[in-house]
Amino acid sequence: MCGIVGYIGTKKACPILINGLLRLEYRGYDSAGISTIEDGYVSLMKNKGRVMNLYDLEGIDDLNGSIGIAHTRWATHGKPCKENSHPHMDNSNTFSVVHNGIIENYNELRDFLTKEGYSFRSQTDTEVIPNLIHYYINQDTQKDTMAFLRAVQKTCNAMQGSFAIEVISSLYPDNMIVVRKDSPLVIGKGKREFYICSDIPAILSFTRDFYLLNDYEYVLLSRDEAKFYDKELAPITKELKNIEWDASSADKDGFEDYMLKEIFEQPKSIRETIGAKLKSNEAIAFEDLSLSKDYLTSLHKIYIIACGTAMHAGLGTKALFEKFCHIPTEVDIASEFRYRDPLIDDKTLCIYISQSGETADTIAAVKLAKSKGAKTLAVSNVIGSSITREADYCIYTHAGPEIAVASTKAYTAQLVLLSLLALYMAEVLQENSNSEIENIKQELLLLPTKIEEILKNTKPVQDFAKKIYKESDMFFLGRGVDYAVALEGSLKLKEISYIHSEAYAAGELKHGPIALIENGVTVISMITNPDLAAKTISNIQEVITRGAKTMVVTNQELENKGFDFIYTIPKTHPMLSPVLSVVPLQLLSYYISKEKGLDVDKPRNLAKSVTVE
Ligand code: AGP
């Protein structure tokens, strides 16, 4: 979705802003723009298309201002075009604004402003913001920086919906105001300078010290200080946080694409996610989480709620909660959960998974559960993200920044962290004989090395990708946790190769989808549970008979019964197998996308972080 960058300091703002926007490109966008404060006026440079195209705009090299705002837009209100790109200015070209989010009542605000004599140049919801600020400042008898702040505050109070905004003005050439509500925005601190961004990787090469903003916290920035105010504009203090990620973790590090780099980072991200939580012969311990036996015993139900790949991580680990905690566990899609009045109360634990921590539907689902008295626990990869501040409890995957739109290392880190959580809860509950739990704990520690083994053997997957990349339909099959992985494999393929694919529980095949199997269709199956292997093999025979090409991902010693490609992965506990079996599927999607010559990291129509409904 849209990205925001801002700079106020002593250096030339333009190159810093464009560098920041380039680092946000992975989020998905259709246009870009910047505004800087120049001598006596606010510049405005924007256009449809790539960030680099900004350098083609006449006059961009003459921008010398050291205060500026910048934006990449992913169209919601109004088609992608120059007029609809951000920044937007008021009618008098005094205030310039970039905005992430959606202003739900923008029609009413537009009508109001039109009656007041304002006119509009774009079809966006955003354009009401600079005009409202202009309107409110004209109503104020004062003209100092507090008047500027009051005008922004009144504007925010008039808006319904979500927003993260940056405002600069030729009337206040040494200041910038930023504020957020339900849309991410952080402030990085340097020496006599501040960097503002919607997404930390954009400014990681400049600073690792950040202020994290809560909803309706206003920041009045000058080169020397950041003054923070609450919703009523009473001054508040904010703590500076150091973010561990280093700048190189947001670079490609010699890999052709972020996605490939992130696939190869999985052993490291799993090791770091396990961290000190799991040590041989000790009970699992979470540094920041302590759930009492009384509370866990009181639970009647666990919900795991998320979107997309994160939801698949819930499906891949649900069985661990049921088997070892003996608590019925349901996995739900956040956008469904939030609108269906689910049966939850204080005896329900709602676990939310979100890599970015900014997914609008998942955050809304947290708020819903809290309003019904349930405790909420967030699993996120981004420290200080919105979901981590909304939920009652929070635990982190330590996957480092995930830049590629297609999630890989965050998914396997989520699987591992949720497995640890399930076993931790089981140990607190002391429900089970511990031998199987102990076995899974040992297997968890071995997962990084086993992924390393898989990553040494990518060539056969690449060769198979060369054989099938021109196809238009594929199927993914599995039973139990293999079905959860089938869903993830299918999503990965759709996202980055644009090949239509479906995932089915292997037993469902005969109930309809088999009608689509014919010569040339590829069927990819996972077989990792010895108890279910024979059943899935029979299902594969049924598709081979009907002409399908087949790939089998397995940790069993299978006799090749006419499969086109068997890819063998190391053995592990059956309930942990998704962490391993997904890796060849990630690689397959990656290589197919490369064969097709597509942009692996920035697939069409997709955004890394879906901050609107
Ligand atoms: C994954 O490849 C997708 N890009 C997408 O499904 C993603 O997992 C989903 O949007 C949820 O994102 P989140 O984890 O940041 O909430």
Side-chain angles (χ1 to χ4, degrees), residues 314-330:
L315 289 172
T317 47
K318 157 191 153 91
L320 280 161
F321 289 91
E322 296 206 318
K323 179 162 183 176
F324 295 111
C325 304
H326 290 180
I327 304 172
T329 303
E330 204 173 312

Side-chain angles (χ1 to χ4, degrees), residues 307-310 354-356 359 405-407 491-492 495 610:
C307 302
T309 288
S354 177
Q355 183 281 130
S356 63
T359 301
V405 166
S407 181
L491 177 65
K492 268 324 59 103
E495 279 186 292
V610 184

Side-chain angles (χ1 to χ4, degrees), residues 1-2 30 73-80 84 86 99-103 106 123-126 611-613:
M1 299 272 138
C2 309
D30 46 59
R73 174 174 187 256
W74 190 86
T76 56
H77 293 69
K79 62 178 190 211
N84 289 336
H86 296 216
H99 162 230
N100 280 1
I102 289 180
I103 303 166
Y106 85 101
Q123 294 126 22
T124 65
D125 51 344
T126 302
T611 50
V612 294
E613 272 190 64

Side-chain angles (χ1 to χ4, degrees), residues 158-406:
M159 297 192 295
Q160 286 159 17
S162 58
F163 49 83
I165 58 176
E166 292 176 325
V167 192
I168 54 173
S169 169
S170 52
L171 295 178
Y172 304 94
D174 296 310
N175 297 101
M176 180 189 303
I177 293 178
V178 305
V179 57
R180 56 156 281 175
K181 190 216 156 217
D182 293 339
S183 193
L185 199 67
V186 297
I187 296 172
K189 187 178 181 312
K191 253 194 196 155
R192 287 206 73 214
E193 59 187 1
F194 294 95
Y195 299 87
I196 302 93
C197 68
S198 51
D199 208 12
I200 290 171
I203 55 174
L204 218 43
S205 53
F206 301 116
T207 181
R208 282 200 274 156
D209 293 327
F210 289 89
Y211 293 107
L212 307 174
L213 296 185
N214 291 321
D215 283 354
Y216 287 113
E217 284 180 348
Y218 294 87
V219 194
L220 175 64
L221 293 159
S222 63
R223 289 179 180 85
D224 293 308
E225 81 183 311
K227 290 184 178 169
F228 298 93
Y229 300 86
D230 70 8
K231 196 174 180 192
E232 315 314 325
L233 296 190
I236 50 170
T237 47
K238 297 286 292 181
E239 197 190 328
L240 201 59
K241 290 218 189 289
N242 185 266
I243 305 281
E244 280 171 13
W245 296 349
D246 60 36
S248 70
S249 58
D251 289 335
K252 283 190 197 156
D253 229 3
F255 283 88
E256 220 172 300
D257 307 273
Y258 282 111
M259 183 181 175
L260 193 62
K261 178 191 172 224
E262 288 162 7
I263 290 173
F264 274 79
E265 279 175 340
Q266 291 179 108
K268 179 173 176 240
S269 59
I270 289 173
R271 276 190 192 104
E272 292 192 358
T273 296
I274 294 174
K277 297 175 194 77
L278 173 58
K279 291 182 189 140
S280 279
N281 305 322
E282 284 182 30
I284 293 171
F286 280 81
E287 228 176 66
D288 309 321
L289 181 71
S290 158
L291 300 173
S292 71
K293 184 173 180 181
D294 280 354
Y295 170 64
L296 291 176
T297 311
S298 76
L299 292 177
H300 289 175
K301 179 142 194 168
I302 296 173
Y303 268 108
I304 303 178
I305 301 140
C307 302
T309 288
M311 193 271 293
H312 294 160
L315 289 172
T317 47
K318 157 191 153 91
L320 280 161
F321 289 91
E322 296 206 318
K323 179 162 183 176
F324 295 111
C325 304
H326 290 180
I327 304 172
T329 303
E330 204 173 312
V331 179
D332 212 339
I333 298 166
S335 56
E336 292 294 315
F337 179 86
R338 65 180 288 195
Y339 289 119
R340 69 173 175 76
D341 198 14
L343 288 175
I344 44 177
D345 56 22
D346 60 348
K347 295 187 172 47
T348 316
L349 172 64
C350 292
I351 300 172
Y352 298 84
I353 314 168
S354 177
Q355 183 281 130
S356 63
E358 302 295 347
T359 301
D361 283 318
T362 313
I363 293 169
V366 177
K367 291 180 180 164
L368 174 74
K370 282 174 84 178
S371 74
K372 288 172 173 265
K375 284 270 182 274
T376 54
L377 189 159
V379 173
S380 182
N381 193 42
V382 181
I383 294 172
S385 57
S386 301
I387 204 164
T388 65
R389 280 173 286 147
E390 197 64 52
D392 298 302
Y393 309 107
C394 176
I395 54 176
Y396 288 100
T397 49
H398 291 273
E402 191 180 65
I403 308 288
V405 166

Side-chain angles (χ1 to χ4, degrees), residues 30-96:
D30 46 59
S31 48
I34 72 168
S35 258
T36 53
I37 299 188
E38 299 298 316
D39 278 340
Y41 74 100
V42 176
S43 73
L44 180 64
M45 302 268 171
K46 56 186 188 175
N47 218 341
K48 189 180 160 186
R50 311 309 283 178
V51 171
M52 281 311 274
N53 299 349
L54 288 174
Y55 281 119
D56 300 335
L57 297 175
E58 212 187 311
I60 194 119
D61 295 333
D62 304 328
L63 299 181
N64 291 314
S66 55
I67 298 181
I69 58 179
H71 193 263
T72 46
R73 174 174 187 256
W74 190 86
T76 56
H77 293 69
K79 62 178 190 211
C81 63
K82 181 177 176 182
E83 292 66 38
N84 289 336
S85 314
H86 296 216
H88 288 281
M89 295 185 83
D90 69 304
N91 286 179
S92 69
N93 295 332
T94 310
F95 296 94
S96 188

